[in-house]
Amino acid sequence: MRLSWKSGLPALLLAVGLVTLAAVPARTADDKKPADKAEADKVPLAGTWKATFIPNPTLEVSWFILKITDKDGKPEAETAWVAEQLKGANLAIENAKVDAKSVKFTLSFANNKWLVTTVAPKDPNAKEPKFLYGTAKANNQYYPFVLEKTDLTELTAKEIQKLTPGAEDLQKANMEKDEKAKVAAYKEILDKFAGKPIAMGAAEGLFQTTAKHAEKDDEVAAALKQYLAVLNPYGPELEEVNAPKIARTLLAGDKGAALALDYARKVEKALPKDAPVARQLPVMKLVAKALHKNKKDDEAKALDEKVAKLDKELDEEFEKTSIPFQPEAFKGRKASSHRVAVVELFTGAQCPPCVSADVAFDAAVKTYKPKDVVLLEYHLHIPAPDPLTNADSVGRQKFYGPEIRGTPTAFVNGKATEGLGGRKADGKDRFDTLRKTIEDALETDAAAEMQVSADRKGDQVTVTTKVVDLKKPDDKLKLHVVLVEDVVRYPGTNGQRLHHHVVRAFVGGTEGVALKEATSSNKATVDLAEVTKTLASYLEESDKKRPFLDDERPTTLNHLKVIAFVQDDDTKEIVQAAEIDVPAAK
């Protein structure tokens, strides 16, 4: 299922040592000391409280115990105990405000400032609340946060970080294939674990499943109402932060059109008036999609035109600074070799250290002609899901195996280059590194000659490749034919808005065709409509396993090229390659 909470915070927990914890001494009977009752009478909510952060519905992290006391007639909040692994992070409570129904403070640790707001649930029969529910605002994202009244003075490792009760039930429900069984499983969790963190995951799963399969608008509205009711105790922020995802969920189904537009408008209203264009565009696209779904096509068309204009302007602005230096022109080969160098870059649009590699790659695209160098860019779901990834790029990753330990990783003629990762400012240095490797490869002899041509009739593209004078024919030498898109727009989280020579598919599969003769010819036809359908299907299945960060799905194929190359399966060496533009549709 699609979780509402992003993955950045668990990484931060890892950084401060809260994902794999060393043992903490077990509690003894003497550790359980009741709060001072006289003090509790003087100060609202006085006593000790276990603080629990919920990065996702299945995980609870309790890294400190909060103590509220009286100081000169005023409530004061401080840490009574902190997990050993966080003591070096200088965790502290700042700017605490306590009244009869709420506790607010800034949680300071490891150069982070989290604003925590918790309130007592509305229960007229409760004399003293045992729980306070709210949120922690971290990195402009809201996460559920709970304070639980406790007599404990410290926590064991198992209590500091644990799967929330019902986590296994939710996992099983998420994996259920039958729609009715899935709905029943979510409802059972909601009944069994009412008021518990896991209920948020079950309510969201129920809403998403209902929105996708419901036959009536009322069913979708009821499921959404239940989901919001589960979020409500934690405060209005969770609904606000989840509004974009709620709108996208509603838009993905056949029902709930009016609700989808309502939520798209909520997202639009919450957008600051001075928000930059890059932040406005996703919201405008969301609203336009909701307008189309509600058959308000005239209004949607006007917004579509505005979006297209702004997208083009941002593309042009990005191109001006995408390569922060002027690459020196290629001076030509020293030797008489006709070998074409093949550059393969494995990257990710959500990968910050990939930026310098992307810059180096784009500089190479501008520096070399296809008769000298051909370039292939594969996207992977590292560190977060990337909608430019496809099954063939993942298959290519598997081909290289352990040589790809992460992104970015680059190869020239099948051999890994030096590391190219870094910031945009490192792009010049990384390009110099890549350039030397490329130009060394250009001076080596070719083990074959190649020709490639492409003929197009509508969506049908027929690719013909000829391999001549192959020095050592072998069934381990494989011909690979790749469909590449010249430029794809996808503004990922690392700031790289435009991506070049993006691999869209291997014609005939990533296994390739064995070359057992010195001279051979191969003809293959690819249906572009089928490629688009396959890309969309792959992304849909990927989203179920690991949700994407947005609803951008750039699958329209424009300005295509075909790159063919011959590679040894055993040594990974690429011995020759060729490139041709695919004719435009007539």
Side-chain angles (χ1 to χ4, degrees):
M1 77 177 256
R2 177 177 301 170
L3 298 178
S4 295
W5 298 279
K6 297 182 181 179
S7 59
L9 268 294
L12 181 55
L13 299 184
L14 178 61
V16 297
L18 282 175
V19 171
T20 52
L21 295 167
V24 175
R27 294 168 295 159
T28 65
D30 293 336
D31 290 330
K32 298 185 178 182
K33 298 178 180 179
D36 189 312
K37 290 188 177 181
E39 187 173 83
D41 291 337
K42 293 169 58 180
V43 179
L45 305 180
T48 51
W49 299 79
K50 182 176 74 170
T52 299
F53 164 67
I54 304 168
N56 69 63
T58 64
L59 184 64
E60 299 179 20
V61 181
S62 302
W63 50 27
F64 68 95
I65 292 176
L66 182 73
K67 186 175 183 180
I68 299 174
T69 56
D70 176 270
K71 185 176 183 180
D72 300 327
K74 295 182 179 180
E76 183 176 85
E78 60 184 354
T79 56
W81 173 88
V82 177
E84 188 69 31
Q85 291 75 11
L86 268 172
K87 288 183 177 177
N90 298 316
L91 187 145
I93 305 299
E94 300 174 354
N95 305 317
K97 296 180 180 179
V98 182
D99 59 31
K101 295 183 179 181
S102 68
V103 176
K104 303 177 183 179
F105 58 87
T106 298
L107 182 64
S108 174
F109 69 101
N111 298 318
N112 291 281
K113 299 285 186 180
W114 291 11
L115 179 62
V116 177
T117 301
T118 62
V119 298
K122 297 178 180 178
D123 184 354
N125 298 319
K127 295 181 179 179
E128 294 184 5
K130 295 182 179 180
F131 294 90
L132 303 177
Y133 298 96
T135 57
K137 184 182 180 183
N139 302 331
N140 293 318
Q141 176 72 9
Y142 288 92
Y143 295 84
F145 200 94
V146 179
L147 292 178
E148 179 184 358
K149 200 70 175 287
T150 183
D151 293 331
L152 302 177
T153 58
E154 65 179 36
L155 304 175
T156 67
K158 290 182 179 180
E159 292 166 318
I160 294 172
Q161 179 176 300
K162 65 180 182 180
L163 289 177
T164 190
E168 292 183 0
D169 297 321
L170 181 60
Q171 184 179 19
K172 289 179 181 177
N174 292 339
M175 297 298 290
E176 181 60 61
K177 300 295 184 183
D178 181 76
E179 177 201 340
K180 292 183 178 179
K182 195 181 193 78
V183 168
Y186 286 138
K187 288 183 177 180
E188 184 177 346
I189 294 170
L190 287 168
D191 290 339
K192 185 177 179 182
F193 298 99
K196 302 297 182 182
I198 202 68
M200 290 184 284
E204 185 177 20
L206 179 60
F207 164 56
Q208 290 174 343
T209 304
T210 304
K212 185 175 182 179
H213 299 287
E215 296 181 357
K216 298 179 180 179
D217 288 337
D218 289 349
E219 297 174 41
V220 178
L224 176 58
K225 183 178 180 180
Q226 185 170 21
Y227 176 38
L228 297 179
V230 172
L231 294 183
N232 181 262
Y234 297 90
E237 293 83 3
L238 287 189
E239 179 181 355
E240 181 179 330
V241 79
N242 280 295
K245 188 160 288 187
I246 291 171
R248 290 197 295 269
T249 298
L250 291 166
L251 287 169
D254 294 331
K255 301 299 178 180
L259 275 174
L261 184 55
D262 286 345
Y263 270 88
R265 291 298 192 194
K266 283 185 179 182
V267 177
E268 183 181 44
K269 187 177 180 180
L271 192 69
K273 293 182 179 179
D274 59 349
V277 174
R279 187 175 170 189
Q280 293 179 40
L281 270 174
V283 177
M284 293 169 67
K285 291 177 182 178
L286 186 69
V287 173
K289 191 174 180 180
L291 287 169
H292 279 300
K293 185 164 185 174
N294 283 272
K295 302 188 183 307
K296 298 185 177 184
D297 293 326
D298 289 342
E299 189 178 352
K301 183 179 178 181
L303 195 53
D304 286 336
E305 291 173 353
K306 185 177 181 180
V307 165
K309 181 181 178 181
L310 291 175
D311 260 332
K312 186 177 180 181
E313 290 176 3
L314 287 181
D315 289 349
E316 292 171 352
E317 287 299 314
F318 177 80
E319 287 279 26
K320 291 177 183 178
T321 59
S322 62
I323 302 174
F325 59 92
Q326 182 61 45
E328 183 182 348
F330 177 50
K331 297 178 180 178
R333 304 172 192 243
K334 298 175 184 178
S336 59
S337 171
H338 295 95
R339 186 172 187 175
V340 176
V342 179
V343 178
E344 298 176 275
L345 174 65
F346 291 84
T347 186
Q350 325 295 3
C351 164
C354 290
V355 172
S356 59
D358 291 346
V359 169
F361 183 90
D362 292 350
V365 171
K366 291 184 177 294
T367 301
Y368 300 101
K369 295 181 179 180
K371 68 182 182 64
D372 297 310
V373 181
V374 299
L375 298 104
L376 301 160
E377 183 172 288
Y378 308 94
H379 281 248
L380 300 175
H381 298 307
I382 301 175
D386 184 334
L388 298 185
T389 306
N390 56 65
D392 286 349
S393 62
V394 174
R396 194 67 179 160
Q397 175 193 17
K398 293 177 180 177
F399 173 79
Y400 281 113
E403 289 191 79
I404 301 178
R405 297 181 180 179
T407 55
T409 300
F411 296 83
V412 173
N413 285 348
K415 184 177 180 180
T417 68
E418 292 183 29
L420 300 180
R423 305 161 301 161
K424 188 172 185 175
D426 299 317
K428 173 65 166 59
D429 178 74
R430 304 303 184 262
F431 175 62
D432 289 343
T433 298
L434 178 61
R435 180 172 195 150
K436 184 179 185 308
T437 307
I438 290 173
E439 296 185 6
D440 285 347
L442 291 176
E443 301 303 324
T444 60
D445 292 332
E449 296 298 328
M450 287 188 67
Q451 296 176 1
V452 60
S453 62
D455 180 60
R456 179 171 182 172
K457 293 182 180 179
D459 283 337
Q460 303 295 311
V461 178
T462 300
V463 181
T464 303
T465 56
K466 293 182 179 180
V467 180
V468 181
D469 295 333
L470 185 61
K471 297 294 187 288
K472 297 179 180 180
D474 191 287
D475 59 4
K476 294 295 184 182
L477 280 174
K478 301 288 182 62
L479 170 66
H480 299 274
V481 179
V482 190
L483 189 68
V484 172
E485 190 166 3
D486 190 32
V487 183
V488 184
R489 177 198 298 134
Y490 173 68
T493 57
N494 67 0
Q496 290 297 95
R497 178 177 179 82
L498 300 178
H499 311 269
H500 297 83
H501 287 222
V502 177
V503 171
R504 290 309 209 165
F506 273 62
V507 180
T510 56
E511 295 80 7
V513 177
L515 299 176
K516 300 180 181 180
E517 304 292 336
T519 298
S520 61
S521 180
N522 180 270
K523 184 177 288 189
T525 299
V526 58
D527 185 328
L528 299 183
E530 189 62 30
V531 171
T532 299
K533 182 179 178 182
T534 300
L535 290 173
S537 178
Y538 170 82
L539 295 178
E540 182 179 356
E541 290 304 311
S542 297
D543 188 51
K544 293 176 183 177
K545 298 173 184 176
R546 192 178 174 201
F548 287 101
L549 305 183
D550 53 46
D551 59 354
E552 292 283 335
R553 303 291 184 270
T555 57
T556 302
L557 303 178
N558 297 304
H559 306 293
L560 298 170
K561 300 176 182 292
V562 168
I563 292 175
F565 61 89
V566 176
Q567 184 171 29
D568 190 306
D569 275 356
D570 287 341
T571 66
K572 311 300 186 195
E573 181 184 11
I574 297 176
V575 302
Q576 190 55 295
E579 176 185 310
I580 191 73
D581 288 334
V582 174
K586 295 180 181 180

